Structure formats: structure tokens, C-alpha cells
């Protein structure tokens, strides 16, 4: 059984993330979408809010082999605990590459079994990011093209506060 982990901030989840989840879920027997807590990145949504939005996404989209979880510590410790095989990350542009490449190398150093698989973003989602959603939403702009309608209201209300 091939177990993959897709870690990220998901602050909040966007169509860009959902498309990666959908494709990765088809590639592996099981996929864990992991809300990671990155102390260097301030978040707008709490861990619980991010978990809730992802769980709802998984349910509504019918991703049967996808589990949602969160972890405070080092990704690779979680990876080892779950005896996972693969780390999934999305690549939008060359600007993502350097950081992602470093992380993949570092994770392999910490755990030689850890293979990172990069999925190239669908072209229409290359400029989608949680930050773009937050910037538009904070000023009351329309974010309906960026996030699913079943969590749109929650995101918009939260960002306006
Ligand atoms: P992190 O803080 O770990 O970068 P993000 O939630 O910003 O968390 O991103 C999680 C992963 O999803 C990263 O690999 C990122 O490149 C990928 N990702 C984010 N937005 C998109 C998108 N629009 N298309 C493809 N991958 C994306």
C-alpha cells in the first residue's frame, strides 16, 4: 500500500490545493492532507478552521481515500510515525522550485526513504494561492473563483473581520 502525505498551511484551502489533492488521491492508495503548523508563517485561520474546511472539501468532493490531519512538529517525524512512502507538493512556478527542492533534499537527509513527488499546477491555477485569496477577501473582494462555494461564506466572513 502506497501512503502519501500532502502537507501545507492550507490557510485557507483553494481550488489549486483541491486539484492537487484530487490528482494525488488517484496516484496513491491513501493520501493524508496534513495541516502543518509552520512557526515562521503567521496564519489567518486557526488550525481547527483549516481542518474543518479541508474535511468538508474531502467530504463534498467525495475523496474516499483521503484523510485530513494536523501536526505541530517536524513533517518527517509525522512521515515516519505513519510509515508513509511519499510527500506530495505542488509546483506553480519556478519561484516555488528552490524552496521545494531544498525541503525535498532536507527531508531525504532526515529520512532516506522519504521521496517527494511534485505535481505541476493546472495552468489556470498557477497564480492561485492562499495569500491571493486573503488579500482579495480582506478588502471584501469576490473570491468565488478561488475557493469552493461550500466554504466561501465562512472564508469571506472571517477575512472581513
Ligand atoms: P506551505 O506553507 O507548506 O507552502 P501552502 O498551503 O501555501 O503551504 O501550500 C501547500 C502546497 O500546495 C505547496 O506545495 C504549494 O506549492 C501547493 N500549492 C499551493 N497553491 C497551489 C496551486 N494553485 N497549484 C498547485 N499547487 C499549489
Amino acid at each position: 500500500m502506497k501512503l502519501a502525505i500532502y502537507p501545507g498551511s492550507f490557510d485557507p484551502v483553494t481550488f489549486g490545493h483541491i486539484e492537487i489533492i484530487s490528482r494525488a488521491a488517484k496516484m496513491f492508495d491513501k493520501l493524508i492532507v496534513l495541516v502543518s503548523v509552520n512557526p515562521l508563517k503567521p496564519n489567518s485561520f486557526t488550525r481547527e478552521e483549516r481542518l474543518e474546511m479541508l474535511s468538508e472539501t474531502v467530504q463534498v468532493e467525495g475523496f474516499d481515500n483521503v484523510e485530513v490531519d494536523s501536526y505541530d512538529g517536524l513533517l518527517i517525524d509525522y512521515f515516519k510515525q505513519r510509515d508513509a512512502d511519499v510527500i506530495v507538493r505542488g509546483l506553480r512556478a519556478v519561484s516555488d522550485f528552490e524552496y521545494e527542492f531544498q525541503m525535498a533534499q532536507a527531508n531525504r537527509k532526515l529520512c532516506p526513504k522519504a521521496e517527494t513527488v511534485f505535481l505541476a499546477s493546472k495552468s489556470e491555477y498557477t497564480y492561485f494561492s492562499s495569500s491571493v485569496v486573503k488579500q482579495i477577501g480582506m478588502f471584501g473582494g469576490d473570491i468565488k473563483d478561488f475557493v469552493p462555494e461550500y466554504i466561501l461564506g465562512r472564508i469571506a466572513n472571517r477575512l472581513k473581520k
Side-chain angles (χ1 to χ4, degrees):
M1 197 195 84
K2 285 276 177 213
L3 173 62
I5 298 178
Y6 178 32
S9 308
F10 305 105
D11 186 47
V13 62
T14 71
F15 282 130
H17 295 123
I18 297 171
E19 208 256 332
I20 298 289
I21 296 173
S22 158
R23 280 156 62 201
K26 291 187 193 118
M27 294 169 68
F28 303 102
D29 298 298
K30 184 170 178 175
L31 179 72
I32 299 171
V33 180
L34 188 70
V35 173
S36 43
V37 182
N38 180 348
L40 300 177
K41 237 182 169 179
N43 294 304
S44 300
F45 295 84
T46 65
R47 173 211 306 248
E48 287 68 31
E49 286 171 323
R50 290 181 280 154
L51 277 169
E52 242 176 62
M53 290 187 282
L54 278 168
S55 300
E56 193 158 339
T57 301
V58 165
Q59 201 199 335
V60 175
E61 304 292 337
F63 297 141
D64 294 337
N65 61 338
V66 178
E67 177 188 325
V68 175
D69 198 4
S70 71
Y71 192 63
D72 279 339
L74 205 54
L75 167 64
I76 211 69
D77 289 335
Y78 182 90
F79 181 92
K80 287 181 193 165
Q81 273 172 35
R82 297 296 302 250
D83 194 23
D85 302 286
V86 167
I87 297 166
V88 172
R89 295 285 287 176
L91 281 183
R92 285 162 290 190
V94 179
S95 50
D96 279 342
F97 179 79
E98 202 168 338
Y99 173 75
E100 294 294 342
F101 189 68
Q102 259 180 18
M103 291 305 295
Q105 303 291 9
N107 282 327
R108 195 172 23 217
K109 187 84 184 157
L110 296 170
C111 174
K113 177 194 164 197
E115 198 66 76
T116 302
V117 167
F118 296 108
L119 296 185
S121 171
K122 208 173 167 185
S123 57
E124 57 261 51
Y125 296 149
T126 47
Y127 65 97
F128 280 35
S129 70
S130 301
S131 315
V132 164
V133 170
K134 285 187 270 192
Q135 281 169 32
I136 299 172
M138 274 171 195
F139 294 102
D142 191 354
I143 53 170
K144 76 168 180 348
D145 290 339
F146 298 88
V147 301
E149 48 91 17
Y150 46 83
I151 51 174
L152 180 116
R154 212 176 315 169
I155 296 174
N157 285 337
R158 183 74 165 71
L159 291 175
K160 272 188 264 173
K161 273 182 198 159

